[in-house]
Amino acid sequence: MIRVLLVDDQELMRMGFRMVLNAQEDLEVIGEAADGVDAVRLAEELRPDVVLMDVRMPRLDGVEATKQITEAGTAKVLVMTTFDMDEYALSALRNGASGFLLKDTPPADLVSALRSVASGDAVVSPSVTKRLLDRFLGPAGGGELRDASVLNVLTEREREVLVLIAKGLSNTELAQKLFLSEATVKTHVGRILAKLELRDRVQAVVLAYETGLVRPGDV
């Protein structure tokens, strides 16, 4: 059973999410919070597997709440956002979130995303993630690039895999494109995360953009 904490300042939004999630045999909403302060407190008390986190809330926003929860190791966080608040989603990713969804995400995709995050993966939508990172890390967004020398610890194959991760390819798609087994791909991904001291694929995507390994306009 995947235990979920819902965090949103709109009661109707929480009600809708609760109905969708509790209808699943493997998902259970164990608590709700209307702001970041209560989110941090309940995450510590209830120890959910995943926190479904809004970003703009009173008292403490979702970005800071995400940072506190992930730094404490109490739960994984999946952020909810809208297109007009992309900068908040990016901040949440940088502060420990394992991915983000749009609030109008279809129920089936929400359920799938929660399962992925709970299993230790990260939710990296190729289209939405690329839009966000292109906007805020690309030249048009004024983002400053990090020193690419941090990538020197990677082999050529690992750099190739990192590029494809940043473009949103799943392990299955990576295996097909590189003519490798999925087990080998998982090994490469694990080594990339370990060498770069990254928590998950989301952080790998952000780093790939921040170092200029992947740039706006790349397909």
Side-chain angles (χ1 to χ4, degrees), residues 32 41 52 87 94 130 170-171 180 185:
E32 298 181 22
R41 177 179 58 80
L52 191 58
E87 67 272 21
R94 284 172 164 163
K130 187 173 186 302
S170 66
N171 284 349
L180 299 171
V185 168

Side-chain angles (χ1 to χ4, degrees), residues 150-151 153-166 174 178 184-201 203-205 207-208 213:
V150 298
L151 303 178
V153 295
L154 302 180
T155 66
E156 284 302 312
R157 174 62 90 182
E158 289 165 351
R159 289 174 71 96
E160 184 179 12
V161 170
L162 179 56
V163 168
L164 296 177
I165 290 174
L174 279 165
L178 300 176
T184 300
V185 168
K186 289 180 180 178
T187 297
H188 282 310
V189 173
R191 287 174 178 168
I192 290 168
L193 298 181
K195 287 183 176 181
L196 297 177
E197 299 182 353
L198 303 174
R199 185 188 59 257
D200 54 36
R201 294 168 75 103
Q203 288 194 337
V205 172
L207 182 64
L213 185 63

Side-chain angles (χ1 to χ4, degrees), residues 81-129:
T81 185
T82 57
F83 274 134
D84 62 345
M85 295 195 302
D86 282 349
E87 67 272 21
Y88 290 93
L90 179 57
S91 295
L93 295 179
R94 284 172 164 163
N95 282 284
S98 292
F100 66 93
L101 297 174
L102 300 180
K103 283 195 172 182
D104 60 357
T105 294
D109 291 344
L110 168 62
V111 170
S112 176
L114 284 167
R115 288 170 178 156
S116 294
V117 170
S119 69
D121 204 348
V123 179
V124 185
S125 166
S127 58
V128 179
T129 302

